[in-house]
Amino acid sequence: MGVALAAASLSNSAAAGAVIANAAATNAVAMGNALAVAAVSNPTAMGASLASAATTNATSLGVALATAAAGNAEAMGTAFANAAVLNAAAMGSALASSAGTNPVATGNALAASAAANPTATGQALATSAATNPGATGQALVTSATTNGQATSQMVIASAASNPIATSGALATGIAINPQALANIGNFMTVESFTPETTPSTGASPSGTGTWAPVGSPAPIKAILAKFARTIPGAHVKVEDVLLLPSGVPSLPSGQVVSEYVRLTPENFQNSDLVASHTTFFVEKSWLGTNQIHPWSIRFNRYDEARNIWVPFVGKLVQDDAQRLYYSVAPPGYSLWAISGGSEAPAPTTRVDNLTISPSPAQEGQSVTVGVNVVNTGRSSVDYNATLWLNSEVESSRTVTVPVASSLPVTFTIQPKAGAYTVRIDRLQGNLTVQAQPATPTPVATSVPTPAPTATSAALPTATPAPAATPTPVPATPTPVPPTATPAPAPTATPAPTATPAPRPTATPVPPTVTPASTATPVPQTATPAPAPTATPTPAPPPPPPPPSFPWGLVVGIVIAAAVIVVVVVLVSRRPRT
């Protein structure tokens, strides 16, 4: 069927195209298999039939093209390029349908088509990007990975037709795929299409510096400056320059100037900048009149010290009915020229070996991000190195790379905790910053006081000692009298004779408490003694000796009786007067 289809296409492409469109609507898979065979047989004739079929039913043809691309991407890519020459818009609609059906197979065929005819394929791509940017972006990922050079030429041609739609498709595909971005970045300037987030006034999301608005007069839409510290009154004065000052050279050949402006910092120096972000615009009428490619717009800074112009490629960020708006991240302000050319500029440098160290990192820790900038041109080149975190400019600087040389460029940052997409030019990586661990608040732990253990069930539980540690009472072999503290009266009242109590049995003492000695039970009529104080207790008087027979008393009585008898006898013998 495929061979017959190729023959029919060679004989009458319009009739063959109608057959292809109707058959694809009925059975797209079968038609796709036939197209793969027919494209190998005669890709030129099949191109004419495909253009006709796309005019009749682009959606059904696209589904069939996806099957054909999966069968033979090279042949279908060549046939597609031939068809795009005849009807780029219709083939762009079919391409959007094919990408939505099978983006990988479509991308392989797209790379082959771009290699065969990048301009015609690019014009078809512009329609596809406007019709289905997401699916087209995924097909471009495969195309750029397969053939970065041909894909770069194709997307530049697409941008000439529809720069906003092309940038949108690239933003959903190549711009977020590190491998595809690095591959296509070898052949074109990726700053033209990589998406960005415009900084907001206030603290930088990364935690380094603060953004402040510093100017906005036309043709400047807005100027934002990022400072490490707050600078009151920081402002950029914007002035139109009608004639170049004496001694200032013209821009390089091929550059058409839109206008000159002088940006003058007030109340700060360029050295105070951590980063900057400037948005400016050009009139669409100016682009059309001068045949300016939308991706060729430059913001050229005049370097007074070297008397040269340093170009910064503008990133297309938005448009309206009259204007296209671009952004740049220059490292300072001076005399500037807005210019463009008929072609998108080819890169004169290449960045290699993106390093992020350490990664992951701890919040508050310094992180070094670096690349190696290689000069691929034939003369010394000024390269604007810009560090992007999550598509927002973090920092930038301009370095001069000698011819046939390379130069390392590094940035040191201290980002807040979070996940970051890190990019410098065509190279992209990831950084995770972990939050600092929370410092635990000390919690007081109460130490329980062990309860003393009674020596016997019949004895009362001893009261624990007060907060002050009492001086231990030395153990004696004699019993302790019932009153623990002597009476405070100056004249001591003799203590009643107490029956010696049995010596208490020692109780095991916990290691953290020295308990008082076990108290002897007190008679019920006695008043409880006050709690002991920290003053050492005086040693008690020795107890009376045990009772015995009173021999001394008997002897005393006998002697006293004898004395009385002698006195009586003597008195009785005294003469009376």
Side-chain angles (χ1 to χ4, degrees):
M1 179 179 178
V3 175
L5 186 59
S9 297
L10 183 61
S11 174
N12 188 332
S13 60
V19 171
I20 292 171
N22 292 330
T26 303
N27 190 331
V29 174
M31 189 69 252
N33 291 328
L35 288 176
V37 175
V40 174
S41 177
N42 194 328
T44 302
M46 285 307 303
S49 297
L50 290 176
S52 179
T55 304
T56 302
N57 191 333
T59 301
S60 296
L61 176 63
V63 178
L65 287 177
T67 301
N72 193 323
E74 190 71 26
M76 283 310 305
T78 304
F80 185 93
N82 292 327
V85 172
L86 299 174
N87 194 334
M91 292 308 297
S93 296
L95 177 61
S97 175
S98 177
T101 303
N102 189 332
V104 174
T106 302
N108 286 323
L110 195 58
S113 178
N117 192 324
T119 301
T121 307
Q123 292 171 347
L125 177 65
T127 300
S128 179
T131 304
N132 191 341
T136 303
Q138 294 306 307
L140 284 172
V141 168
T142 302
S143 179
T145 305
T146 302
N147 191 332
Q149 184 173 11
T151 302
S152 69
Q153 296 171 342
M154 173 181 61
V155 298
I156 289 173
S158 176
S161 297
N162 193 332
I164 296 296
T166 303
S167 296
L170 290 166
T172 65
I174 292 177
I176 57 176
N177 185 292
Q179 182 181 358
L181 184 66
N183 206 28
I184 200 172
N186 285 319
F187 308 102
M188 65 175 295
T189 303
V190 301
E191 295 301 341
S192 300
F193 64 82
T194 46
E196 71 168 38
T197 300
T198 302
S200 299
T201 300
S204 170
S206 68
T208 304
T210 301
W211 286 99
V214 292
S216 62
I220 306 300
K221 180 183 178 184
I223 301 176
L224 294 170
K226 185 180 182 183
F227 302 107
R229 57 185 176 85
T230 301
I231 301 181
H235 181 70
V236 174
K237 183 180 180 181
V238 180
E239 302 172 280
D240 287 331
V241 178
L242 300 180
L243 296 175
L244 280 179
S246 176
V248 176
S250 299
L251 265 68
S253 176
Q255 288 294 300
V256 180
V257 177
S258 171
E259 55 189 307
Y260 296 99
V261 292
R262 184 179 296 279
L263 306 181
T264 306
E266 296 180 336
N267 298 321
F268 73 94
Q269 303 295 323
N270 284 328
S271 58
D272 294 322
L273 289 171
V274 175
S276 70
H277 184 275
T278 300
T279 305
F280 62 96
F281 60 81
V282 295
E283 302 291 338
K284 287 184 176 179
S285 59
W286 173 76
L287 273 76
T289 300
N290 295 281
Q291 297 183 341
I292 303 298
H293 192 288
W295 279 1
S296 72
I297 301 302
R298 297 180 179 183
F299 202 45
N300 305 274
R301 179 174 183 254
Y302 177 59
D303 187 330
E304 297 178 357
R306 295 183 294 162
N307 195 33
I308 62 172
W309 290 99
V310 180
F312 294 79
V313 177
K315 184 191 304 293
L316 181 59
V317 291
Q318 71 176 90
D319 73 335
D320 58 28
Q322 289 81 34
R323 297 167 175 170
L324 290 178
Y325 295 83
Y326 296 82
S327 71
V328 290
Y333 305 107
S334 61
L335 177 64
W336 292 84
I338 300 173
S339 69
S342 59
E343 298 180 357
T348 56
T349 57
R350 184 186 72 249
V351 295
D352 294 329
N353 303 325
L354 175 67
T355 59
I356 305 172
S357 179
S359 180
Q362 198 77 23
E363 188 173 18
Q365 186 177 16
S366 294
V367 178
T368 300
V369 181
V371 293
N372 198 47
V373 182
V374 181
N375 185 341
T376 59
R378 297 181 179 180
S379 61
S380 176
V381 63
D382 291 294
Y383 175 75
N384 186 45
T386 304
L387 172 64
W388 300 85
L389 295 184
N390 290 345
S391 299
E392 181 174 308
V393 56
E394 173 67 17
S395 185
S396 65
R397 70 170 61 97
T398 300
V399 295
T400 301
V401 187
V403 62
S405 300
S406 63
L407 187 71
V409 177
T410 60
F411 297 91
T412 301
I413 57 176
Q414 288 185 326
K416 294 180 181 178
Y420 297 89
T421 299
V422 180
R423 183 177 69 83
I424 298 178
D425 204 300
R426 72 185 185 99
L427 300 182
Q428 182 173 283
N430 296 306
L431 169 65
T432 300
V433 180
Q434 300 170 345
Q436 287 282 4
T439 303
T441 304
V443 179
T445 303
S446 59
V447 179
T449 302
T453 305
T455 58
S456 169
L459 296 176
T461 303
T463 304
T469 304
T471 303
V473 179
T476 61
T478 57
V480 179
T483 303
T485 305
T491 304
T493 304
T497 302
T499 303
R503 185 175 179 180
T505 302
T507 304
V509 181
T512 58
V513 179
T514 305
S517 58
T518 306
T520 305
V522 181
Q524 296 296 323
T525 57
T527 302
T533 64
T535 306
T537 305
S548 60
F549 190 83
W551 292 109
L553 180 59
V554 174
V555 173
I557 293 172
V558 172
I559 293 173
V563 172
I564 292 172
V565 171
V566 172
V567 173
V568 172
V569 171
L570 291 177
V571 171
S572 63
R573 288 182 181 181
R574 185 177 179 180
R576 299 179 184 269
T577 58

